[in-house]
């Protein structure tokens, strides 16, 4: 769903996921909407202008008459287009396309902050807009039967928009159909007709463990899933090898044997990561290619991208299967997300949401934490520096936030497999993961369906002793409101009825600062238990109070998508550090889980903080669409000049398959998200980059924001 409005020479665009796009122009006028454009668009707006300005983005231009393709130089050199018919692809948070006739010049501003498209005269332009989020197309009803679940997984691949390697782009994988429980298998005709048959089969044992674990691979490959008893009949009992899972390509007479559980998890992980990675390389032979740093690997592997790009999915997969995993293992991007799911019928409804994020799915296993293990894990993650610079302003007193009885949480140690981010959809409360629930994913769809044109944030201070955090985070939100459409409300000392109204009112984010006891969130006139709410209409939250885990889980069950909580008692100065950093990262587009993972490392007992609900959810968009974290380390002096090693990590669980381009002076390569890039920079080069970049920076034992840090190196 796209909404747009005009304010003078500015076009404001919002979508259902709270993403925003602002287009400014010279000689700007809107002449209508609804005109066709040769690209997938949710909305079109006809404008006339001599110049259009967009946020910084990757830009391609396509000549419709000559079928030529051009890319705006990432290093900043302008692109001049001679008179002709063109479509320009601008990869902003809301996808934008420009269709026009004539000549044009495309360039980046000096600070890489904007893309400018200018024309010799006022020109009529069709602006196509596409929301990156899509709602599920229909619902499949599934009975409690492994063969029925296999059929349902097969048909969830109907959401793909292409069978080419371009499916590795997140915008070309639609949201799979929802699954619901029922007595009979019911697949809507529109889903059945859109389900491809590429001649790729995945045969697995008729148990929920195997089906759940293989679902991401089946979904990405658009494979037909069959159970072994269905594929081989009862005779599978006579031959043990026929009961093993396998990947089949009948046209190539290929049967790739897979290990039974639990080693099936490892085989699926390797197959999916290899196939996805090679697709990310081969797709550069298509119309949306770019110069990737990883691209040289194809030649080393003896793979020709051009014929592979045009090949059928089965032929392409056959070629990929010949590539040894060991030959690419060291070049694979970190996998973005792994979710640990109880393999049972009741978990079925969460599958479409996990496949939409292309999460690995594993079976949950835990063990008890031993002795001081929780403390030791916290200290291992703590940012350590020689002499961290104190924050400006008065420091809050070190006081314990808990004054009453705090709910205790029995934390366990999860057996984590591959992945940068980990989610938990099973019993138990493990560390190092976000503890989710089926309600969180359905709640997210409800909020998307009722999205507004601004982001509503409410800060609640229910204890005057915590005013330091309250003032700090409120200022962070106010500063961000100068760049995004934020509606900020600040409340203090709310009673139970008033606090209940806050959670029952439509807010995108509530930042609660105060106390939490076994009976609920403390108010001047008692405590508010989240379980007493009729419904929670707050999309996301941070309960920065002692022992708030159970209250947070109640808010998820009552209607929220995700939130940050604590397991136990926390000190006030620790809470201020975590709260302020979390606020800064959250309003700059980081997902809730990643924002908390970075923020809690500022304190020595960071494992006391956790995320509940769908931790992959983001409150707002990042300046550059992909949230970036930099790690800065000073190198040994080379003469009189200080030199630094800057490592960039551009990563999001929402846009798996995207790439980023580091804007350092001599760089010419893009990098796949999940792969870090490193550069040696002088102080002036570092100052320039930080001044032009929106990123969190880990430096000298703490975390900073790039635009707050650049002046230190501006010598």
């Amino acid at each position: 769903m796209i909404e747009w409005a005009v304010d003078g020479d500015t076009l404001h665009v919002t979508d259902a996921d709270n993403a925003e796009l602002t287009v400014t122009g010279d000689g700007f006028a809107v002449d209508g909407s609804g005109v066709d454009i040769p690209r997938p668009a949710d909305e079109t707006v006809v404008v006339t202008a001599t110049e259009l300005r967009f946020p910084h983005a990757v830009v391609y231009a396509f000549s419709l008459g000559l079928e030529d393709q051009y890319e705006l130089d990432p290093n900043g050199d302008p692109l001049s287009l001679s008179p002709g018919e063109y479509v320009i692809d601008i990869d902003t948070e809301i996808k934008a396309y420009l269709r026009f006739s004539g000549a044009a010049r495309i360039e980046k501003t000096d600070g890489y902050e904007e893309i400018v498209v200018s024309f010799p005269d006022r020109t009529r332009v069709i602006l196509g807009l596409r929301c990156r989020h899509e709602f599920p197309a229909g619902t499949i009803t599934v009975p409690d039967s492994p063969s029925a679940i296999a059929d349902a997984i097969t048909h969830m691949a109907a959401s793909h928009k292409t069978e080419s390697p371009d499916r590795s782009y997140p915008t070309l994988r639609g949201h799979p159909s929802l699954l619901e429980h029922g007595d009979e298998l019911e697949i809507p005709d529109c889903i059945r007709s859109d389900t491809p048959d590429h001649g790729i089969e995945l045969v697995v044992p008729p148990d929920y463990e195997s089906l759940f674990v293989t679902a991401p691979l089946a979904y990405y490959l658009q494979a037909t899933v069959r159970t072994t008893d269905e594929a081989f009949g009862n005779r599978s009992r006579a031959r043990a090898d026929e009961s093993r899972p396998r990947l089949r390509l009948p046209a190539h007479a290929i049967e790739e044997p897979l290990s039974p559980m639990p080693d099936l998890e490892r085989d699926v992980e390797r197959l999916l990561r290899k196939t996805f990675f090679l697709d990310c390389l081969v797709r550069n032979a298509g119309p949306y290619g770019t110069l990737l740093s990883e691209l040289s690997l194809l030649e080393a592997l003896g793979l020709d991208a051009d014929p592979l790009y045009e090949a059928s999915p089965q032929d392409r997969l056959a070629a990929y299967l010949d590539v040894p995993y060991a030959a690419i293992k060291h070049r694979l991007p970190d996998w973005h997300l792994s979710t640990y799911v109880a393999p049972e019928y009741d978990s079925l409804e969460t599958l479409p949401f996990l496949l939409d994020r292309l999460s690995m799915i594993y079976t949950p296993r835990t063990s008890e934490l031993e002795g001081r293990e929780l403390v030791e894990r916290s200290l291992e993650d703590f940012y350590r520096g020689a002499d961290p610079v104190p924050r400006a302003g008065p420091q809050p007193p070190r006081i314990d936030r808990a004054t009453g009885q705090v709910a205790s949480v029995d934390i366990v140690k999860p057996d984590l497999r591959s992945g940068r981010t980990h989610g938990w959809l099973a019993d138990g409360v493990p560390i190092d993961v976000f503890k989710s629930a089926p309600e969180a994913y359905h709640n997210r769809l409800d909020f998307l369906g009722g999205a507004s044109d601004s982001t509503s944030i409410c800060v609640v201070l229910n204890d005057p002793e915590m005013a330091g955090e309250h003032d700090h985070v409120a200022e962070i939100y106010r500063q961000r409101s100068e760049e995004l459409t934020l509606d900020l409300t600040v409340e203090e000392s709310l009673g139970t009825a008033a606090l209940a109204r806050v959670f029952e009112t439509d807010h995108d984010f509530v930042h609660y600062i105060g106390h939490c006891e076994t009976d609920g969130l403390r108010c001047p006139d008692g405590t508010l238990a989240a379980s007493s709410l009729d419904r929670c209409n707050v999309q996301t939250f941070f309960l920065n109070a002692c022992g708030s885990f159970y209250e947070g889980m109640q808010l998820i069950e009552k209607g929220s998508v995700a939130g940050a909580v604590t397991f136990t008692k926390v000190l006030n100065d620790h809470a201020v550090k975590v709260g302020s950093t979390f606020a800064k990262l959250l309003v700059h587009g980081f997902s809730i889980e990643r924002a908390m993972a970075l923020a809690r490392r500022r304190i020595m007992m960071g494992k006391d903080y956790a995320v509940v609900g769908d931790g992959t959810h983001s409150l707002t968009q990042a300046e550059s669409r992909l949230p970036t974290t930099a790690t800065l380390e000073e190198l040994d002096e080379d003469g009189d000049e200080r030199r630094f090693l800057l490592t960039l990590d551009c990563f999001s669980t929402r846009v798996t398959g995207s790439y980023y381009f580091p804007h350092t002076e001599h760089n010419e390569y893009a990098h796949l998200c999940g792969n870090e890039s490193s550069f040696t920079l002088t102080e002036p080069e570092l100052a320039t980059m930080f001044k032009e970049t929106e990123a969190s920076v880990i430096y000298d034992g703490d975390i900073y924001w790039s635009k707050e840090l650049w002046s230190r190196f501006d010598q």
Side-chain angles (χ1 to χ4, degrees), residues 260-531:
M261 288 293 294
D263 291 339
L264 179 61
E265 294 179 338
R266 177 204 59 208
D267 291 354
V268 166
E269 175 200 327
R270 291 183 174 185
L271 272 171
L272 180 52
R273 292 184 69 186
K274 178 170 72 171
T275 304
F276 188 86
F277 176 60
L278 292 176
D279 268 355
C280 287
L281 304 187
V282 170
R283 73 188 185 193
N284 291 280
Y288 308 112
T290 193
L291 185 58
L292 281 178
S293 65
E294 299 90 346
L295 201 55
S296 60
L297 184 60
L298 284 180
E299 183 177 354
L301 296 172
L303 296 177
D304 189 340
D306 290 323
L308 283 172
Y309 184 84
E310 301 295 339
S312 70
Q314 187 174 168
D315 291 344
R316 192 166 59 248
L317 180 57
Y320 291 172
L321 291 176
D322 286 337
V323 176
Y325 182 77
I328 63 169
K329 180 180 179 181
H330 63 293
R331 299 293 297 274
L332 291 174
D334 288 340
W335 197 253
H336 60 291
L337 176 64
S338 295
T339 311
Y340 304 81
V341 184
E344 54 195 32
Y345 182 56
D346 287 345
S347 302
L348 180 69
E349 62 184 299
T350 62
L351 273 184
F353 303 100
L354 303 182
L355 299 186
D356 179 53
R357 291 288 196 254
L358 206 58
S359 173
M360 292 288 182
I361 296 178
Y362 296 108
T363 52
R365 298 192 291 267
T366 64
S367 57
E368 292 186 4
L369 287 165
E370 298 179 358
R372 291 177 48 84
E373 190 170 359
L374 181 60
V375 175
E376 292 168 354
R377 281 173 173 251
S378 288
L379 294 177
E380 287 173 0
D381 276 355
F382 177 52
Y383 293 130
R384 296 175 184 272
D387 184 21
V389 179
R391 297 291 178 173
Q395 300 300 306
R398 288 181 58 91
I399 58 175
D400 193 323
R401 287 207 163 187
T403 57
Q405 187 174 0
V406 175
S408 61
V409 181
D410 293 326
I411 305 172
V412 295
K413 178 172 62 175
D415 177 11
L416 298 181
R417 273 76 99 195
S418 173
R420 285 280 297 273
T421 302
H422 302 270
W424 196 264
L425 276 160
D427 292 337
V429 184
I431 60 170
D432 296 321
V433 305
F434 61 86
K435 168 76 173 181
S436 195
E439 294 90 345
Y441 303 100
H442 292 285
N443 294 342
R444 182 170 181 268
L445 291 183
D446 292 340
F447 280 104
L448 288 174
S452 64
D453 57 0
S454 66
T455 300
S456 171
I457 296 178
C458 181
V459 180
V460 178
L461 174 65
N462 256 21
D463 191 309
E465 292 180 340
M466 291 130 191
E469 177 187 351
H470 165 270
D471 295 341
H472 199 172
V473 299
E475 181 59 27
I476 288 171
Y477 298 137
R478 288 192 185 98
Q479 290 175 356
R480 187 60 169 147
S481 68
E482 297 173 1
E483 302 163 342
L484 286 180
T485 309
L486 298 183
D487 180 13
L488 177 64
T489 304
V490 178
E491 304 283 1
E492 296 185 24
S493 301
L494 295 184
T496 54
L499 184 58
R501 283 195 296 273
V502 166
F503 285 108
E504 291 171 346
T505 302
D506 291 334
H507 287 298
D508 293 297
F509 181 62
V510 168
H511 192 139
Y512 172 86
I513 304 167
H515 298 286
C516 183
E517 300 174 1
T518 53
D519 294 333
L521 302 174
R522 186 197 292 174
C523 302
D525 59 349
T527 56
L528 173 69
S531 59

